[in-house]
Amino acid sequence: IHPYDKALTEKKPLDSFIKTFKDQGFVTGHSSDFCQMNPLDIGRAKYIRDIPFDHEAVSIACEPHYHDPSSPYGLFRGPYSAMRRCLYGKDMYEHVIDYGNQFWRTYKDQKKLMYMDFLDAHEGTNEVVKYADDALYKLLTGLQSDGLLEDTSVVLYADHGLHMQGIFQLLQFDQPEIEKY
């Protein structure tokens, strides 16, 4: 359903995809590198019923040394920073991956959905995201070599492309808004 679909209303919100998995007996998990409980919490989120995951690791992304609630879109600190994002001696993506790996192994014999959020590519230099490549590779090859990816689908998708909002919004281009959704 497109975010601008006229059939969407606040009075009749849609069920989140999370509910579909839970109804089918999946254990659900979520880890994130940004301080936001609902991964669907975007401009049109009021049209989607919030369904909590069974297990969540989001609180580290809300840590004041990383996330400044008074300036959440800062260029030098937090999930939108153009600088490498580290906390407690690790890149933020490592905290997300470590939790995902632990979740996957804890529920190795059960149906599961692990949703991991990474905002590493959400900045204009395209430098920050490259650090996560090796860690994601190690996670997936480790799970595969331990036989934990049988009957499994791994879905990787991007947030909204390689645009920076500022100048594009000032010039009132449509593309940034389209890419967000």
Side-chain angles (χ1 to χ4, degrees):
I1 295 176
H2 192 277
Y4 293 114
D5 189 323
K6 301 286 187 226
L8 294 175
T9 69
E10 291 180 57
K11 292 180 181 175
K12 286 185 162 185
L14 299 171
D15 285 331
S16 164
F17 73 96
I18 302 159
K19 183 178 185 316
T20 303
F21 281 91
K22 290 176 101 170
D23 288 350
Q24 296 296 317
F26 283 70
V27 178
T28 61
H30 175 221
S31 59
S32 180
D33 67 351
F34 62 105
C35 187
Q36 177 175 313
M37 290 302 294
N38 183 346
L40 304 173
D41 189 13
I42 56 174
R44 309 291 287 175
K46 60 189 170 190
Y47 303 118
I48 300 171
R49 195 174 289 109
D50 190 16
I51 306 292
F53 288 87
D54 297 315
H55 302 280
E56 297 182 287
V58 178
S59 61
I60 194 158
C62 301
E63 195 346 300
H65 291 98
Y66 172 70
H67 174 80
D68 180 0
S70 66
S71 180
Y73 303 107
L75 293 176
F76 303 107
R77 184 170 128 200
Y80 300 98
S81 171
M83 313 295 284
R84 195 165 182 178
R85 301 155 191 183
C86 300
L87 185 64
Y88 301 126
K90 287 182 165 181
D91 285 287
M92 284 303 290
Y93 64 79
E94 289 181 277
H95 294 287
V96 175
I97 288 172
D98 289 349
Y99 187 85
N101 192 32
Q102 180 184 4
F103 174 87
W104 202 264
R105 292 170 186 285
T106 299
Y107 294 103
K108 64 183 173 191
D109 297 323
Q110 295 176 338
K111 296 191 305 186
K112 62 198 144 302
L113 166 72
M114 182 62 211
Y115 189 101
M116 295 186 288
D117 284 318
F118 304 93
L119 246 62
D120 298 88
H122 210 297
E123 54 87 27
T125 69
N126 295 315
E127 290 294 314
V128 176
V129 69
K130 69 182 179 184
Y131 296 109
D133 288 350
D134 286 340
L136 284 170
Y137 175 81
K138 287 177 186 173
L139 170 68
L140 294 172
T141 56
L143 292 172
Q144 183 179 32
S145 68
D146 291 344
L148 298 175
L149 290 182
E150 295 298 319
D151 299 319
T152 298
S153 294
V154 175
V155 178
L156 302 173
Y157 69 95
D159 181 359
H160 56 74
L162 297 174
H163 77 271
M164 290 298 289
Q165 295 177 14
I167 188 70
F168 297 109
Q169 286 183 323
L170 288 174
L171 296 174
Q172 297 182 346
F173 291 149
D174 292 332
Q175 193 60 30
E177 291 301 313
I178 292 168
E179 287 182 2
K180 276 193 246 178
Y181 295 106

